Amino acid sequence: MTVRHVELLALMGLGSLYGWYADSSLWIFSGTLGGAVLWLGLDDSRLSKVRAWLAAEDWGNEPVLPHVWGALVDKFRKIQKNLAGKARDSQARLDEFLSAIQASPNGVMLLDSQGRIEWSNQTAAEQLGIDPQRDLMQHVTNLIRDPQFSSYLSAAEFQHEVAIPGPLSTPSKPVVVAIRIHPYGKKRRLMLSRDVTAVQQAEAMRRDFVANVSHEIRTPLTVLSGFVETLQTLELNAQERSQYLALMATQADRMQTLVSDLLMLSKLEGSPVPSRQASVQASEWLRSCLQDAQNLSKMMSEAGHLFSVDTSMDFDLAGNETELTSALSNLLNNAVRYTPPGGSISAGLRLLESGDAEVWVSDSGPGIAPEHMPRLTERFYRVDRSRSRDTGGTGLGLAIVKHVAQRHGGYIRIESRLGEGSTFTLHFPSDRIAALSID
Ligand code: ADP
């Protein structure tokens, strides 16, 4: 028996006591009934208070009620507090999860069964040109209007991804976004996007590179095999034989130079940045490379070139001697190869106030037109293809120079005017330079 029942019996008992006091069996009955009705009213008003409190959801202001009603309110209050705590935890976890998806470098978008945007992270919004708040519940095909995307979505064959131009894509600066849809739940879709511009560019560069290398190797190979065939089929006298063999040796040399330039490039790309433990003395480095260039100049023509060198400033340069020598030799050899015999070639060292240092190579050669300048350090880019080939060029020299400079924290600067010669400067940062005093 609960307190509530005791209360009912007590009120009924009081009613019948009142009837007994009035000395009438009718009054006893009425008193008992009245007690019961009074209890019912009391109980109902407590129930109403509980209902009003629940309807108002005013959890902090619970009604103060006796016995079972009070216990009920108390219990409910505890359950509600518990649930609110759990909801807070879930919300915090959801917020954390969403901020993790926001931080993703890939775009993430959730589509409902109608293809409307339910949620999108900032990356997807930027990649696909939508507003993550304003465009919520918009149909995705109204916002991404690329026909390839529309047919990808309607075909519903999501085993592969589709690549479309990004909203900021221009012909001179293309941006490509790859989209892949993953169905989940009841016809819902998770849409992932990523910027594949760099990947596609790298892939195009790789294809071009393979095509270029094949082309560069095929040319001397064709010539070589032609000579081999001639030697095999024709009766040649000793003079003709040695003439052919000399031409074959030139082609073999060309292939060898190409292969060694390719190996140099791949070594530069695959090895760690040169340490600062070893260093070269700039004046010695420059003089030894200049000596090789002078020898090349003599080999190429009788008139040769007029050389001058300025080592009035000197410094130690921390880095890899083989790489640095290859870079500087490339610049000096280019000066020799592109400057007509009798022209002048000068080189020198410069220490800047910032502590940085430079080595420069100037020539009085043909110069380079401005439109070619930005592409000169690309692999296999040549302004004058036949001049490059005739002088044994591979089209990889300046690419190697640029790599070496960058690996030493520096860069290459090219200044040139058509018909007035060129200056190529290698710039190195102060943290690799130790100035030397000249006595
Ligand atoms: P290559 O083996 O053809 O010389 P490089 O990468 O060394 O290749 O140079 C790229 C192109 O830059 C050359 O083909 C040439 O057209 C141009 N170039 C390089 N150095 C000079 C220079 N000193 N004077 C004029 N043009 C140059």
Side-chain angles (χ1 to χ4, degrees):
M1 192 151 63
T2 65
V3 183
R4 195 158 157 261
H5 296 144
V6 172
E7 194 184 72
L8 169 64
L9 290 178
L11 281 175
M12 287 170 75
L14 274 174
S16 64
L17 208 68
Y18 174 74
W20 175 74
Y21 181 69
D23 206 12
S24 142
S25 54
L26 185 67
W27 273 104
I28 291 176
F29 174 72
S30 314
T32 310
L33 195 67
V37 169
L38 187 66
W39 177 85
L40 259 179
L42 240 164
D43 208 50
D44 242 22
S45 90
R46 288 164 184 162
L47 174 65
S48 303
K49 279 183 187 165
V50 174
R51 283 167 84 168
W53 174 64
L54 288 177
E57 296 186 15
D58 185 7
W59 310 124
N61 206 7
E62 70 259 41
V64 183
L65 295 169
H67 52 80
V68 68
W69 291 110
L72 211 65
V73 165
D74 212 38
K75 183 76 190 160
F76 193 85
R77 179 84 189 85
K78 276 185 187 141
I79 291 172
Q80 188 280 329
K81 207 170 153 189
N82 206 349
L83 280 179
K86 279 186 181 157
R88 259 196 315 277
D89 283 355
S90 306
Q91 187 59 44
R93 268 205 296 277
L94 183 66
D95 288 347
E96 225 165 84
F97 182 67
L98 289 181
S99 44
I101 304 180
Q102 279 292 10
S104 158
N106 291 335
V108 181
M109 197 184 268
L110 301 180
L111 303 179
D112 70 4
S113 56
Q114 310 291 310
R116 288 174 304 203
I117 300 170
E118 281 190 320
W119 187 86
S120 154
N121 71 354
Q122 195 58 35
T123 314
E126 278 160 21
Q127 285 172 348
L128 302 167
I130 66 156
D131 185 315
Q133 260 84 50
R134 186 199 60 206
D135 294 332
L136 279 190
M137 296 323 282
Q138 290 290 319
H139 206 287
V140 71
T141 46
N142 289 343
L143 300 165
I144 305 173
R145 296 198 154 272
D146 188 273
Q148 285 193 77
F149 175 72
S150 306
S151 44
Y152 174 70
L153 199 66
S154 53
E157 280 170 12
F158 302 133
Q159 301 85 346
H160 60 93
E161 58 186 21
V162 64
I164 62 167
L168 301 177
S169 184
T170 60
S172 59
K173 211 166 171 265
V175 178
V176 186
V177 178
I179 297 177
R180 173 118 192 231
I181 287 183
H182 301 266
Y184 74 100
K186 282 188 183 160
K187 289 193 172 177
R188 302 179 103 78
R189 278 161 282 184
L190 168 72
M191 194 166 109
L192 301 180
S193 59
R194 63 202 171 93
D195 188 333
V196 291
T197 315
V199 178
Q200 289 209 348
Q201 269 168 1
E203 179 55 23
M205 269 169 71
R206 191 194 63 77
R207 274 198 307 269
D208 286 354
F209 184 67
V210 171
N212 275 320
V213 170
S214 316
H215 177 77
E216 295 292 331
I217 287 180
R218 201 177 46 204
T219 315
L221 254 186
T222 314
V223 180
L224 258 181
S225 58
F227 284 135
V228 170
E229 210 177 298
T230 312
L231 285 171
Q232 282 171 334
T233 51
L234 293 181
E235 279 294 319
L236 300 171
N237 62 34
Q239 197 199 347
E240 285 170 329
R241 276 181 81 83
S242 71
Q243 202 183 342
Y244 279 122
L245 285 172
L247 289 167
M248 286 169 76
T250 310
Q251 297 305 322
D253 279 352
R254 219 175 120 181
M255 280 171 53
Q256 209 157 21
T257 317
L258 178 67
V259 170
S260 71
D261 273 4
L262 285 170
L263 284 175
M264 181 72 188
L265 262 182
S266 95
K267 210 173 101 192
L268 291 176
E269 280 175 352
S271 52
V273 169
S275 91
R276 286 156 210 259
Q277 304 306 317
S279 65
V280 294
Q281 188 180 339
S283 56
E284 280 174 21
W285 166 52
L286 178 57
R287 280 208 191 90
S288 117
C289 293
L290 203 70
Q291 186 60 54
D292 293 343
Q294 281 168 325
N295 293 341
L296 178 70
S297 165
K298 277 184 212 146
M299 260 171 57
M300 285 183 70
S301 74
E302 210 147 283
H305 297 88
L306 200 68
F307 283 91
S308 61
V309 60
D310 175 4
T311 48
S312 55
M313 291 180 171
D314 198 4
F315 52 88
D316 274 337
L317 168 58
N320 181 303
E321 187 172 356
T322 316
E323 289 183 22
L324 291 168
T325 299
S326 162
L328 188 53
S329 291
N330 263 306
L331 293 183
L332 284 162
N333 290 356
N334 277 357
V336 171
R337 286 167 47 231
Y338 293 104
T339 306
S344 57
I345 294 168
S346 53
L349 305 173
R350 190 185 294 133
L351 272 163
L352 307 179
E353 267 182 25
S354 61
D356 292 4
E358 294 184 336
V359 49
W360 50 268
V361 176
S362 270
D363 63 57
S364 62
I368 302 157
E371 66 266 27
H372 296 292
M373 303 282 270
R375 300 196 58 190
L376 282 184
T377 55
E378 279 178 25
R379 293 157 186 202
F380 297 114
Y381 188 84
R382 291 149 161 140
V383 178
D384 182 345
R385 207 158 264 278
S386 59
R387 172 112 191 98
S388 161
R389 287 236 176 82
D390 293 349
T391 54
T394 58
L396 296 174
L398 290 182
I400 291 176
V401 178
K402 181 178 142 186
H403 259 289
V404 172
Q406 286 179 343
R407 283 166 56 76
H408 287 80
Y411 58 85
I412 176 174
R413 190 170 69 242
I414 307 173
E415 288 140 312
S416 185
R417 267 171 186 269
L418 207 54
E420 290 182 25
S422 319
T423 300
F424 292 77
T425 306
L426 289 175
H427 183 110
F428 296 101
S430 57
D431 58 359
R432 283 190 178 266
I433 303 295
L436 294 174
S437 57
I438 310 276
D439 320 305

